[in-house]
Amino acid sequence: MDAKERLLREGIAADPLLAAANIDAHHIDYSFDSTGHDVDRTLALLRSFALWHQENLGDPAARVSIVHVHAYFLTKLFFSLPNLLSRDGRILVFRRMSADRIGGVPKQFAAYMSMYGFYGVCQQWRGGSMCLFDVANFKVVNLRLNLYRTTNLVGVTLPAAVHTPLVFYNASPFFQACFHVIKQQASETNQFIFKKGPEIFELVDPSMLPSEYGGLITEEQLDNQIEAFIKSRYAEEGLKYVPIDIRAVDWKTYRVPGKVAFSRTESAVPASVIDYQAVESELMSLGYLNKKPEE
């Protein structure tokens, strides 16, 4: 154990919140590596992790269970499976942004799904993760709303995963421009990659991709893989598996078992990070505010 690692362990032990959070070694190692072994930044990331669980689950040592995310997992709006990897060995995290898929699903569920997926990333932190966003049918309602959504997509819901590549599939030029400008202001956000059609195969083998990305996994096969994974997680957590008919879920009244209360904490970049006026000015100079945004 070197001097920095010793300081980190001492910092965790001396912080009441971190000491109570019982954060596993994989997560500590992942966070330490993601900050370039910066002790103060690592402690800040770990505190953020512990505080999220304190605010959302009532205990910094509590963890999101498969029970919490079972229904959301079935929507396939945001999911990852341990057997789906990029060509360089990263865990693939899929996020579908099409308006017809989002429907009335409360966005708070995405935060729980993000955290649940983050546990898996930490377990395999040496490989890292890659987020794939399906934005082919993402609708631009207006500039302000689009900027709000894009900042939510930047990926800081999981602060420790700042080096996760974000791959946007079939994004419009306007969508790309928003990210280009935002990235200039939020320098520590993730790497943005834009791919169209078969270009995605440069990063991921077709056998690892659902059909909507041009891959070989059919919707039925994906449903079966997700169901099998959910069942395995119930068994691993020692819980009785109870099937859910996602078609019958009323998201306006749906509550996960255990009456978990959702925090109102937003997962977007803090408002102070993004200067919207400057972003709008930059987009205007690119000509995007003088015409209807391409959808």
Side-chain angles (χ1 to χ4, degrees), residues 34 86 118 121 193 243-244 274 288:
S34 71
S86 66
F118 184 49
V121 172
I193 301 173
I244 294 177
I274 303 297
Y288 284 105

Side-chain angles (χ1 to χ4, degrees), residues 239-251:
L239 301 172
K240 180 181 178 181
Y241 170 75
V242 179
I244 294 177
D245 183 356
I246 194 62
R247 297 166 297 180
V249 171
D250 181 352
W251 291 104

Side-chain angles (χ1 to χ4, degrees), residues 23-244:
I23 300 175
D24 66 49
H26 290 290
H27 185 174
I28 294 172
D29 289 342
Y30 177 86
S31 299
F32 198 36
D33 184 68
S34 71
T35 64
H37 293 186
D38 184 311
V39 175
D40 290 337
R41 287 183 62 201
T42 302
L43 289 173
L45 291 177
L46 296 177
R47 288 191 192 97
S48 176
F49 177 87
L51 185 60
W52 187 94
H53 290 81
Q54 175 69 58
E55 293 179 345
N56 289 275
L57 300 178
D59 182 348
R63 296 295 179 264
V64 177
S65 165
I66 187 62
V67 175
H68 300 140
V69 298
H70 184 169
Y72 189 86
F73 214 129
L74 294 176
T75 68
K76 292 175 287 187
L77 287 171
F78 191 4
F79 69 92
S80 63
L81 293 170
N83 61 308
L84 299 183
L85 306 172
S86 66
R87 290 189 183 277
D88 61 355
R90 294 175 179 269
I91 298 173
L92 295 176
V93 180
F94 296 91
R95 187 156 189 182
R96 293 165 156 178
M97 299 307 300
S98 303
D100 60 333
R101 289 188 178 276
I102 295 174
V105 181
K107 62 183 178 181
Q108 293 95 329
F109 279 92
Y112 278 72
M113 194 68 195
S114 295
M115 192 58 71
Y116 190 76
F118 184 49
Y119 303 155
V121 172
C122 289
Q123 291 291 326
Q124 303 181 43
W125 66 277
R126 293 185 187 279
S129 60
M130 175 183 292
C131 292
L132 274 63
F133 294 86
D134 168 26
V135 293
N137 298 311
F138 186 83
K139 301 299 182 183
V140 178
V141 178
N142 56 52
L143 179 66
R144 285 279 179 183
L145 181 56
N146 187 70
L147 291 178
Y148 172 77
R149 283 174 169 169
T150 52
T151 53
N152 269 277
L153 294 179
V154 166
V156 292
T157 51
L158 304 175
V162 293
H163 301 301
T164 296
L166 301 183
V167 182
F168 297 93
Y169 186 63
N170 287 344
S172 70
F174 177 75
F175 200 86
Q176 294 186 47
C178 287
F179 276 94
H180 171 73
V181 175
I182 288 171
K183 186 180 181 182
Q184 291 178 334
Q185 294 195 39
S187 60
E188 287 193 325
T189 56
N190 310 58
Q191 177 186 4
F192 299 155
I193 301 173
F194 296 92
K195 294 293 183 182
K196 286 185 177 294
E199 292 176 353
I200 193 73
F201 301 150
E202 299 168 7
L203 303 174
V204 186
D205 187 273
S207 64
M208 296 287 177
L209 287 170
S211 56
E212 66 195 84
Y213 291 89
L216 301 177
I217 303 175
T218 67
E219 199 75 4
E220 181 180 3
Q221 290 172 331
L222 184 59
D223 287 340
N224 291 337
Q225 288 186 36
I226 287 176
E227 191 69 21
F229 175 73
I230 290 173
K231 288 180 178 179
S232 71
R233 296 303 300 172
Y234 269 90
E236 190 167 322
E237 292 185 30
L239 301 172
K240 180 181 178 181
Y241 170 75
V242 179
I244 294 177

